[in-house]
Amino acid sequence: MILNIACIGGDGIGPEIMAEAKKVLDKVAATYGHEMKYTDVLMGGASIDVHGIPLTDETIDICKASDAVLMASIGGNTSTSPWYKLEPSKRPEAGLLKLRKSLNLFANLRPAVLYPQLRGACPLKEEISAAGFDMMIMRELTGGLYFGERQTVEVDGELKATDTLTYSESEIRRIAIKGFEIAKVRRKKVTSVDKANVLDSSRLWRKVVEEVAKDYPEVTLEHMLVDNCAMQLVKDPAQFDVILTENMFGDILSDEASMVTGSIGMLASASMNDTKFGLYEPSHGSAPDIAGMNIANPLATILSAAMMLKYSFDLHKEAAAIEAAIDQVLTENYRTVDIMSDGMEKVSCSGMGDLVAERIK
Ligand code: IPM
Ligand code: MG
């Protein structure tokens, strides 16, 4: 199979971790008889430096013409980087939001998994972490507060700012369907998270999710208020299978869930439209403080590449080979500095990429 992949190396540690993901994909291609065709494109700060804007039409077009997009990380240090002196619509993150919208990537899948080998990194009490957890946060990604109308106006001599949270039935329905489809092939439970005790948009969310649930009798649906969900994530994360939620709640809860694993350097994500097309990126940021030092953890990007093989190309064996190789490297006690603990062997970013690539079978 020929895989046309647009690659966004991006900023900070982005180019380093992208190189390791390509290394592993190349090994997969050689082992399983595929051909990887990468097209490197600029986005974020790297694009600002060259074009003055974080996302060009050319980058959007190349992404659209590809089968999938693999992204590393974008953005810089918000207090020192010149990118953050620009108006908000010209900053690195604006490029990512525009790309999500242009590619209609409404479904964001963020797995939060506690690897048994990394249980020690989990900040929760041992009696909680002992149960392990493996959840998928399904975040709506192109609606809600992020894309509603906003304005700042002066009223009676003081500034007044407004952001609007709007969802239509069809926007809720399509993400709910994705959520139930994913739950069907996992542990068959959906926790729909909202703030239905206060917000109209949440009451509509709940209504539509209940309608969709009728088509999935094998999946159990429960509703949870977002504030309670924030508590339950630290109290009993093992209860969750699929968490289905709107854009802003998903932004916050997915960061919380990733922190609860204790190893954000291990977490991948996928952002999909209603076809097989998706953008795949690690859940962590661009870590500008350690950029260029060859110490970043490339595993989240490598796992994002595995998600890409699974969801965009239906290459399940190949994805499983990557996951197995990572599992083996961890079991053999190799660690990058962010997940280092006593008695383990510390390896560099490229060293980790080599170890994983060597173990692809
Ligand atoms: C994320 C990030 C983005 C978001 C930022 C960079 C705009 O936090 O992917 O979760 O809020 O969606
Ligand atoms: Mg976020």
Side-chain angles (χ1 to χ4, degrees):
M1 182 181 211
I2 297 176
L3 293 77
N4 286 302
I5 305 167
C7 298
I8 301 172
D11 310 317
I13 57 171
E16 299 160 55
I17 55 183
M18 176 60 78
E20 301 316 309
K22 285 182 179 170
K23 188 187 279 176
V24 173
L25 283 172
D26 288 341
K27 183 66 189 294
V28 169
T31 311
Y32 289 86
H34 302 300
E35 192 185 334
M36 302 288 166
K37 284 198 172 159
Y38 307 118
T39 311
D40 291 307
V41 289
L42 294 177
M43 211 263 280
S47 174
I48 296 174
D49 290 345
V50 177
H51 302 292
I53 49 172
L55 178 68
T56 60
D57 289 341
E58 193 201 351
T59 290
I60 297 176
D61 290 342
I62 293 173
C63 290
K64 279 187 178 162
S66 305
D67 301 318
V69 183
L70 185 62
M71 184 183 136
S73 52
I74 56 139
N77 183 317
T78 49
S79 41
T80 56
S81 164
W83 300 329
Y84 296 91
K85 304 228 158 45
L86 301 168
E87 60 168 278
S89 68
K90 298 235 166 72
R91 293 178 194 167
E93 288 74 11
L96 180 56
L97 295 180
K98 183 167 176 202
L99 190 61
R100 286 173 180 166
K101 197 71 173 176
S102 310
L103 302 175
N104 193 26
L105 304 173
F106 64 85
N108 185 212
L109 285 68
R110 297 191 167 184
V113 182
L114 185 59
Y115 283 81
Q117 299 97 325
L118 301 178
R119 196 160 280 166
C122 175
L124 302 178
K125 281 193 202 143
E126 223 183 295
E127 65 229 53
I128 301 176
S129 66
F133 56 85
D134 175 356
M135 69 186 97
M136 178 71 87
I137 301 195
M138 295 273 321
R139 168 188 177 195
E140 200 292 326
L141 202 60
T142 52
L145 279 172
Y146 276 67
F147 294 96
E149 272 173 40
R150 64 179 102 258
Q151 61 167 6
T152 305
V153 289
E154 199 178 311
V155 183
D156 297 335
E158 69 170 343
L159 290 175
K160 191 169 170 179
T162 309
D163 298 281
T164 45
L165 202 181
T166 306
Y167 272 107
S168 65
E169 288 182 83
S170 55
E171 282 177 308
I172 301 169
R173 184 162 294 110
R174 63 184 184 176
I175 181 77
I177 290 172
K178 284 263 185 196
F180 280 91
E181 287 291 330
I182 301 275
K184 214 165 76 172
V185 296
R186 290 176 48 99
R187 298 195 310 280
K188 302 187 174 52
K189 181 177 170 191
V190 169
T191 304
S192 174
V193 174
D194 61 38
K195 189 71 186 167
N197 53 347
V198 179
L199 302 175
D200 257 25
S201 55
S202 282
R203 288 187 273 267
L204 182 62
W205 181 276
R206 211 174 257 223
K207 175 174 172 284
V208 175
V209 169
E210 275 172 6
E211 285 164 16
V212 171
K214 292 200 182 104
D215 295 331
Y216 298 87
E218 70 276 43
V219 178
T220 308
L221 168 67
E222 70 174 12
H223 299 285
M224 193 177 275
L225 296 174
V226 61
D227 45 354
N228 183 29
C229 184
M231 288 198 295
Q232 295 298 328
L233 276 172
V234 290
K235 195 172 158 234
D236 177 20
Q239 70 182 287
F240 295 111
D241 179 17
V242 172
I243 292 181
L244 173 66
T245 193
E246 65 92 47
N247 203 345
M248 183 76 160
F249 298 158
D251 179 44
I252 298 167
L253 294 176
S254 62
D255 263 23
E256 185 188 358
S258 65
M259 195 61 228
V260 166
T261 67
S263 43
I264 187 168
M266 302 290 303
L267 300 179
S269 82
S271 304
M272 320 267 316
N273 65 17
D274 46 17
T275 70
K276 294 249 158 229
F277 184 86
L279 178 148
Y280 301 83
E281 55 170 322
S283 289
H284 60 72
S286 61
D289 51 319
I290 58 161
M293 293 165 70
N294 195 23
I295 59 169
N297 185 348
L299 292 178
T301 314
I302 297 172
L303 283 163
S304 301
M307 282 185 97
M308 174 181 80
L309 297 181
K310 206 182 313 183
Y311 291 114
S312 283
F313 298 100
D314 280 320
L315 295 175
H316 295 271
K317 258 191 321 193
E318 289 82 344
I322 295 181
E323 286 161 4
I326 290 178
D327 207 63
Q328 190 184 341
V329 167
L330 293 177
T331 302
E332 290 171 12
N333 294 340
Y334 294 108
R335 302 284 187 271
T336 44
V337 63
D338 57 306
I339 50 172
M340 186 61 191
S341 61
D342 283 351
M344 302 290 127
E345 185 164 339
K346 187 152 86 182
V347 296
S348 65
C349 177
S350 57
M352 185 56 101
D354 289 337
L355 288 166
V356 175
E358 282 161 15
R359 282 159 185 73
I360 298 290
K361 286 194 213 55

